[in-house]
Amino acid sequence: MITIKDISRKCGVSPATVSKALNGYGDISEQTAELVKRTAKEMNYIPNIAARSLKTNNSHNLGVLFIDETMCGLTHEYFATILNGVKDEAEKLGYDITFLSQSLGNQKLSFLEHCRYRKCDGVIIASVDFSNESVIDLVKSEIPTVTIDYSFDNINCVMSDNVEGAYALTKYLIEKGHKRIAFIHGEMTSVTTKRLLGFYRAMSDYGVSVRDSYVVEGKYHDPIPSRKATRQLMEMEEPPTAIMYPDDYSYLGGMIELEKMGLSVPEDVSVVGYDGIPMSSILRPKLTTYYQDADKIGRMSARKLIDKIENSKTCIAEEIKVSGKFAEGYSVKTV
Amino acid sequence: MITIKDISRKCGVSPATVSKALNGYGDISEQTAELVKRTAKEMNYIPNIAARSLKTNNSHNLGVLFIDETMCGLTHEYFATILNGVKDEAEKLGYDITFLSQSLGNQKLSFLEHCRYRKCDGVIIASVDFSNESVIDLVKSEIPTVTIDYSFDNINCVMSDNVEGAYALTKYLIEKGHKRIAFIHGEMTSVTTKRLLGFYRAMSDYGVSVRDSYVVEGKYHDPIPSRKATRQLMEMEEPPTAIMYPDDYSYLGGMIELEKMGLSVPEDVSVVGYDGIPMSSILRPKLTTYYQDADKIGRMSARKLIDKIENSKTCIAEEIKVSGKFAEGYSVKTV
DNA sequence: TGAAATTACGAAAACGTATTCGAAAAGAAT
DNA sequence: ATTCTTTTCGAATACGTTTTCGTAATTTCA
């Protein structure tokens, strides 16, 4: 392994000078800096990250918390795409990412401990149970944090515009002539609140009344509750003519249940999803949904987090909205 | 930050003793070891990984190479599931994972350089272009490596039994009465060779002749080539009665093309996929496919790699087969 | 020309750990 | 009681960087 010392010997300068030259201190003359950089490249020098990290106490490493209790965090297209965005952007800015967990080997660690252990400079949190104590500890710690699709006070947060998304979908259904619109929503998080707001606002704006019994709770990214909710809705004496699902995945559950009941989409009931995962455009019938720019959400998160890390004073906490796009399919018919 | 020194002071022993006690040296009496461990826990001691890594020259960190040129590595359910398995198993054994890339910040790095930079103890490679020079350099390096779904001589490799998978699917079609069976295969890799072998072997075993024009090249995990291949096959004067696709994703391409041609599955043509991603069981009609145990593939890879890292002498290079399972759907009809 | 300011560099200490080697203490054997 | 072995511990060094601070050399200014 070739070190700073080897370079210093070859260049006839001190190790200190090499370090400074490589890190762009103004302290060094142009010529020696050039010489050092050149020989470093020639000798295939790779800095020892452990030594550097030991000294500087930062690692150029971001922690990501992506796995929820249903263990489907990574395999879900929406989150996988976000992760990919995070990864790409972080790489561009010179950071690697590390998955955070609550155990390493036989030790039990909290997320925060794992984070400290790996010396993560910051953390990105998505797709977890935000009421989990261990998660909250992490958020409240001194470690720079960005949350995705969930907002804490005074913490950077990135999400798509959920009010506008739900509004757009609702408006579309209304314009297609629907009046009996059901809304299956996810767990009551800040995201859900916003979507509900968008839904109610659209209904109100267009003078369509909301039936309380049409608004039922399901779960994000889980087909099972959606199946139940779908059956419950369609077995009413006056079933809805359109159902809005929490997301594209959970819609799949609904689809299966509808099929089982001998109902077809959109002939018997119109449906819309949410997320716009690649799959949704490939489903038959093509799903009408609201496309969230997951890649951009990931990139923005990484960028904001790194900004926070590197400019902790000037960087202020904010909620960043990434705009999405309404995506028309064939899952809604005109009534 | 609390260090080994703090503990030593509190326990009235030397830092060396603390280090030994914490790392289980036989060098230390039971009682002091106990004392040290207890106070370490009490004081919430978290070892400084940078210092340790600097000294021992290993990081308890695995590199993973998962992104292919189509940039869909992570968002593909099959690979996402593998990654998840790798992650879980690695965590259990006390390792974290880091994504390898070819650039970090403004520097251009080879995978190998990135690996050295992050001091990865070993690497898991999947879903990449294995003919890429930078990948080959990495494989040929001294760094312990496990490849997934691709075998190099003398390198640990994990894959499902592709011969058996293709054989099972082919046999199923034959038993359903099909004789004109088309086989769209992926790029000519070692995996493809094995699947072709399974296909030919089954056809031969059951005395069904293979038509050369029915064996065409597509691409793994890419719907586009499959669309083309599908059209080409179905426009023949004597089209096949069954089509085997490289994987479930690329089958989706075929499905779209068939629909466009006004053909429906399985009435007009029977199809089978490969992989058994969760989606395939949710598609209509439910896809007949060969389920690869992606989670297990990931876990086995991690376990084997860590075995190699920790017992480099005794651990021998081998090709590990993870058995899959035939999964019947409704996409094949009896003729 | 002399003093002051600037530039360019190096010596040295520090980061927190692991590990070698020697020494002291305790126990065993004679 | 003496020697020999075993057990238990600590002093010291090294890992490869970064960074402070001092100093020598050079330039600027009055």
Side-chain angles (χ1 to χ4, degrees), chain A residues 1 44 46-54 57 59-61 67 71 73-77 80-81 83-84 87-88 90-107 109 112-114 116-119 223 249 252-253 255-256 259 279 281-284, chain B residues 1 44 46-54 57 59-61 67 71-77 80-81 83-84 87-88 90-107 112-114 116-119 223 249 252-253 255-256 259 279 281-284:
Chain A
M1 158 169 266
N44 261 317
I46 294 178
N48 186 315
I49 204 178
R52 171 182 293 172
S53 168
L54 176 60
N57 213 28
S59 61
H60 271 234
N61 197 17
I67 312 303
M71 306 296 279
L74 261 186
T75 59
H76 191 292
E77 279 189 69
T81 309
L83 175 61
N84 211 55
K87 196 186 75 61
D88 280 354
E91 259 165 25
K92 249 186 220 158
L93 300 171
Y95 284 75
D96 279 316
I97 69 182
T98 289
F99 289 110
L100 260 32
S101 70
Q102 297 206 74
S103 61
L104 207 56
N106 30 26
Q107 326 167 42
L109 295 176
L112 182 54
E113 283 167 336
H114 191 167
R116 292 203 210 283
Y117 175 68
R118 275 294 163 193
K119 305 190 98 38
Y249 258 50
L252 288 171
M255 191 172 79
I256 291 176
E259 191 175 272
M279 208 186 66
S281 68
I282 240 165
L283 289 174
R284 301 299 119 175
Chain B
M1 159 167 265
N44 261 319
I46 294 178
N48 186 315
I49 204 178
R52 173 182 290 173
S53 169
L54 176 59
N57 212 29
S59 60
H60 272 234
N61 197 16
I67 313 304
M71 306 296 279
C72 79
L74 261 188
T75 59
H76 190 292
E77 280 190 69
T81 308
L83 174 62
N84 211 54
K87 194 186 76 57
D88 281 353
E91 259 166 25
K92 250 187 220 158
L93 299 171
Y95 284 74
D96 280 315
I97 68 182
T98 289
F99 289 110
L100 262 32
S101 70
Q102 296 203 76
S103 60
L104 207 57
N106 30 25
Q107 326 168 41
L112 183 53
E113 283 168 337
H114 190 166
R116 291 202 210 283
Y117 175 68
R118 275 293 163 193
K119 305 190 97 40
Y249 258 50
L252 288 171
M255 191 173 80
I256 292 177
E259 189 175 275
M279 207 186 68
S281 67
I282 240 164
L283 289 174
R284 302 297 117 172

Side-chain angles (χ1 to χ4, degrees), chain A residues 245-297:
Chain A
Y245 284 91
D247 60 287
D248 295 354
Y249 258 50
S250 55
Y251 154 69
L252 288 171
M255 191 172 79
I256 291 176
E257 197 64 28
L258 289 172
E259 191 175 272
K260 246 191 170 169
M261 297 175 77
L263 302 172
S264 56
V265 172
E267 290 76 11
D268 301 310
V269 58
S270 296
V271 301
V272 301
Y274 206 104
D275 274 0
I277 56 179
M279 208 186 66
S280 57
S281 68
I282 240 165
L283 289 174
R284 301 299 119 175
K286 189 175 162 193
L287 184 59
T288 296
T289 185
Y290 187 81
Y291 170 78
Q292 299 200 70
D293 195 341
D295 180 70
K296 190 168 178 194
I297 290 176

Side-chain angles (χ1 to χ4, degrees), chain B residues 130-146:
Chain B
F130 280 99
S131 66
N132 179 304
E133 203 174 328
S134 190
V135 173
I136 293 178
D137 282 348
L138 180 56
V139 173
K140 300 291 180 205
S141 77
E142 82 292 349
I143 296 177
T145 302
V146 168

